[in-house]
Amino acid sequence: MLEVEDLHKTYGEVVALDGVDLSVAAGDIVGLLGPNGAGKTTLVSIVAGLRRADRGVVRVDGRNVAVAPYETRRRIGLAPQDLGIYPVLSVRDNLLYFGELAELSGRELTGRIEEVADALELTHLLDRPARTLSGGEKRRLHTAMAMLHRPPLLLLDEPTTGVDVATRSRLLEVVRARAADGTAVCYSTHYLPEVESLGASVAILDQGRVAARGALHDLVHAHGQCYVELSFDGEAPDVPGLEGAERSGSGLRLPTADPAGETARVLSALGPVAPRLRTVEILRPSLESVFLAVTGRRYEEEVGTGVGAS
Amino acid sequence: MSVRRSLAVARHELRLLRRDPAPVVILIAMPLVLMAFNRPAFRAALTEAGYADVNGAEHVVPGTAVMFAFFLVGNVGFAFFREHGWQTWERLRATSTRPVEVMVGKAITPLVVSAVQLFVLFGLGGLLFGLRVRGAILGLVLVGASLGICLVAFGFLLTAVCRTIMQLNAVANIGALVFAGIGGALTPLSTLPGWARAVAPATPSYWAMRGFRSIILDGASVGAVLLPCAILLLFGVGFGLVAARRFRFAETKTSWA
Ligand SMILES: Nc1ncnc2c1ncn2[C@@H]1O[C@H](COP(=O)(O)OP(=O)(O)OP(=O)(O)O)[C@@H](O)[C@H]1O
Ligand SMILES: [Mg+2]
């Protein structure tokens, strides 16, 4: 449904996309991951036809976005990263407008509004002015406006920003259901567990390039090392026996196949610096450790979202 | 080009207007107050200019109407800038709506508002201030319609060239006053200094006033307004062409959030 080939985009000096390839088949969900400034929004905006690439091709349903922008946009539902709703209009009128722009009318349009409102739990809010909604409710409306016309390609740019746990799982459920109906979904997020819960394949974007791409399971299998990670008060010490550790500031990180045994060995090796030890963490193979392996950085350090490692 | 999508944009603009009609109501009510104020002064001016059997409404009604018609220009632009403030502009662009469909849709509502404004002002001008139209009413309708098209195109032009809503606000309001002043809407042309009379035909309001006055005061038939209408439409085409050249749909404008 979506094919992106060798996409390049610079903003003045800033290289936002540096040769991105990506394809998403109908019915597939791709979790688009990457630290702030990695190029996720730029990629999604180019696919939606909002920005022009310097080089490269985007095809939606086989059509080049640059050649047939309006035909491809019809097939796309975009929920941008920034909230975009009409605050003075009711929830219903917000949905109505985007339905009408998609040339829906009459009973079909009413039906779609009810359907999407039901899916995203907006039914009881339909007659409220959008400005009176809570942050999470606004985000739900914002997302519903992108899904109303059942586009075969759904681009959701951080759709769970500022929503609670219940809303998040509801939204993930809706996305899974859409994918099951054959919608291709591009889902950018900073919350790694969401991607795991979506059962999505993963594209990790780093500095404008796809650093890793594949099924979650395969990536975890290929890159998912276990690590034992220690953090200290002050600079990480030199500890005899732990020469293989990667150090970053106050942290030491040891790749291992046997985390329990390694933890025991490491703790006993600490000796006189043991009182300076603050935390010990075991990072199991997960998206988090895949990210660490392909970018050399921990995800939460990059984005500060506090995504916990297991 | 889909007429349906243009109508969807127009209906949406009307829904937004329904949520906040006050600005438009003010643009219709305020001129009535000014007409009541200024009518006696214009009776003297018209009499001095050689018109017999006049009460001042013959100038104050079309003049005030033309001036306040141009205050709608700002509203034309705000309909774009508020989309940037609400961050809905990118969403609109991400739909399959073409730029021309957006423009047509966003033209329809101000055209309707302009028609209502002129209708109410001329209608109440007759009822409240004794405006008597000596010539063909159809002539007034034609001038009013041409004026509406011209000012919507002017609104598009200002939207295209202004980057911030404050720029738009300043230019639109000053433009309305300058056009009204130099074009002979604020005060009759005969009371203006010679240089102002010389440049007056360069403003659309001059042609609107000339059209309205020839019907109202001179009792002319439709034929007399064809030239003013043609020139108003020419202004509209000119503004529209420059707007089309300068308009950047992908540009993000600065509005109040
Ligand atoms: N309009 C712009 N002008 C200049 N630079 C820009 C513009 N938009 C994005 N950038 C830069 O391009 C890079 C990629 O930005 P982008 O918004 O695509 O990142 P992102 O992955 O979506 O980040 P985030 O997770 O913070 O949303 C960043 O360095 C950003 O500063
Ligand atoms: Mg982003």
Side-chain angles (χ1 to χ4, degrees):
Chain A
M1 177 54 60
L2 171 64
E3 287 145 65
V4 173
E5 275 169 34
D6 194 32
L7 213 57
H8 290 256
K9 174 75 183 175
T10 54
Y11 300 103
E13 299 283 279
V14 181
V15 179
L17 297 180
D18 191 13
V20 168
D21 296 292
L22 183 70
S23 69
V24 188
D28 274 3
I29 308 175
V30 171
L32 205 53
L33 295 168
N36 290 140
K40 303 179 296 295
T41 298
T42 302
L43 173 60
V44 163
S45 304
I46 292 174
V47 171
L50 294 177
R51 292 179 202 176
R52 220 183 273 272
D54 300 332
R55 189 140 62 83
V57 182
V58 177
R59 279 193 209 85
V60 174
D61 208 5
R63 283 160 216 251
N64 188 328
V65 168
V67 175
Y70 302 105
E71 283 71 54
T72 53
R73 277 177 212 172
R74 186 193 297 277
R75 292 170 170 73
I76 296 175
L78 166 70
Q81 181 170 2
D82 295 328
L83 197 69
I85 58 176
Y86 295 96
V88 299
L89 296 183
S90 67
V91 170
R92 188 190 306 280
D93 283 348
N94 271 278
L95 294 171
L96 189 69
Y97 184 38
F98 278 75
E100 288 179 341
L101 289 177
E103 298 194 272
L104 297 170
S105 62
R107 211 170 276 172
E108 190 185 16
L109 176 54
T110 323
R112 293 289 180 84
I113 291 175
E114 278 166 16
E115 173 193 274
V116 79
D118 182 49
L120 288 164
E121 288 175 335
L122 292 164
T123 308
H124 62 294
L125 301 169
L126 277 173
D127 294 313
R128 283 256 296 272
R131 80 186 131 76
T132 68
L133 302 183
S134 77
E137 289 163 349
K138 282 180 186 155
R139 184 57 70 169
R140 256 142 61 198
L141 168 60
H142 172 84
T143 309
M145 286 155 76
M147 300 183 128
L148 181 77
H149 61 298
R150 288 201 201 140
L153 173 61
L154 203 49
L155 305 172
L156 305 177
D157 197 355
E158 301 194 26
T160 52
T161 307
V163 307
D164 66 13
V165 178
T167 302
R168 172 170 309 184
S169 58
R170 183 77 196 186
L171 188 88
L172 295 177
E173 203 176 296
V174 173
V175 171
R176 276 193 300 261
R178 282 296 168 98
D181 288 343
T183 304
V185 184
C186 219
Y187 187 104
S188 97
T189 181
H190 290 297
Y191 297 94
L192 308 190
E194 287 183 356
V195 180
E196 290 171 342
S197 139
L198 281 171
S201 69
V202 177
I204 297 178
L205 223 57
D206 190 30
Q207 296 174 356
R209 293 168 164 277
V210 178
R213 169 81 180 106
L216 186 57
H217 175 266
D218 297 344
L219 285 179
V220 170
H221 197 69
H223 301 282
Q225 269 278 26
C226 267
Y227 293 85
V228 174
E229 196 176 69
L230 314 175
S231 73
F232 294 87
D233 270 332
E235 187 79 3
D238 283 319
V239 180
L242 303 188
E243 285 82 6
E246 301 159 16
R247 32 173 72 247
S248 58
S250 63
L252 282 183
R253 193 182 290 140
L254 293 110
T256 174
D258 169 23
E262 183 71 355
T263 308
R265 187 182 76 79
V266 165
L267 290 179
S268 63
L270 287 179
V273 298
R276 284 179 50 210
L277 181 66
R278 258 196 345 217
T279 61
V280 182
E281 226 182 311
I282 294 175
L283 306 182
R284 295 199 175 280
S286 65
L287 200 43
E288 168 72 45
S289 57
V290 171
F291 187 83
L292 180 62
V294 298
T295 67
R297 302 185 299 274
R298 281 198 60 176
Y299 203 82
E300 61 190 88
E301 288 164 10
E302 286 296 326
V303 301
T305 52
V307 178
S310 57
Chain B
M1 154 104 203
S2 150
V3 175
R4 261 176 90 179
R5 270 198 298 266
S6 283
L7 289 177
V9 175
R11 270 197 303 276
H12 170 73
E13 291 295 326
L14 273 176
R15 278 183 219 120
L16 288 168
L17 178 61
R18 252 198 354 242
R19 300 283 156 197
D20 186 17
V24 166
V25 170
I26 289 170
L27 287 183
I28 294 176
M30 196 57 208
L32 292 170
V33 177
L34 283 184
M35 287 176 192
F37 246 74
N38 291 334
R39 187 168 59 104
F42 290 128
R43 183 209 307 244
L46 287 176
T47 311
E48 200 170 304
Y51 290 100
D53 192 17
V54 290
N55 70 14
E58 299 81 357
H59 177 86
V60 85
V61 172
T64 317
V66 166
M67 174 157 90
F68 276 79
F70 273 96
F71 280 123
L72 290 176
V73 166
N75 293 10
V76 176
F78 294 151
F80 291 89
F81 278 83
R82 66 184 170 204
E83 302 255 13
H84 290 277
W86 292 333
Q87 304 188 120
T88 47
W89 183 249
E90 293 239 310
R91 298 206 76 162
L92 180 59
R93 283 211 302 127
T95 69
S96 50
T97 316
R98 289 165 168 73
V100 59
E101 293 160 358
V102 174
M103 299 311 270
V104 170
K106 286 198 184 279
I108 292 174
T109 302
L111 282 174
V112 170
V113 169
S114 161
V116 169
Q117 184 196 41
L118 290 175
F119 179 80
V120 171
L121 292 182
F122 278 91
L124 289 183
L127 288 175
L128 301 178
F129 307 118
L131 172 72
R132 204 159 51 79
V133 178
R134 299 166 195 201
I137 298 274
L138 178 62
L140 293 185
V141 174
L142 291 179
V143 175
S146 310
L147 174 63
I149 290 168
C150 173
L151 67 87
V152 168
F154 189 52
F156 285 169
L157 169 62
L158 295 191
T159 307
V161 298
C162 293
R163 269 182 305 102
T164 72
I165 197 166
M166 293 307 286
Q167 293 176 353
L168 171 74
N169 190 45
V171 179
N173 287 332
I174 290 169
L177 284 175
V178 168
F179 280 175
I182 295 182
L186 210 53
T187 54
L189 217 54
S190 54
T191 64
L192 294 182
W195 66 265
R197 257 179 284 171
V199 295
T203 66
S205 37
Y206 166 86
W207 295 97
M209 283 310 290
R210 186 165 145 173
F212 283 140
R213 280 180 52 138
S214 64
I215 300 283
I216 294 170
L217 274 171
D218 306 334
S221 62
V222 169
V225 301
L226 291 184
L227 178 67
C229 286
I231 292 181
L232 281 171
L233 292 175
L234 223 66
F235 266 112
V237 170
F239 293 148
L241 283 177
V242 180
R245 274 193 68 87
R246 294 292 304 270
F247 214 106
R248 296 280 171 273
F249 260 66
E251 179 192 3
T252 302
K253 296 191 180 275
T254 306
S255 176
W256 296 302

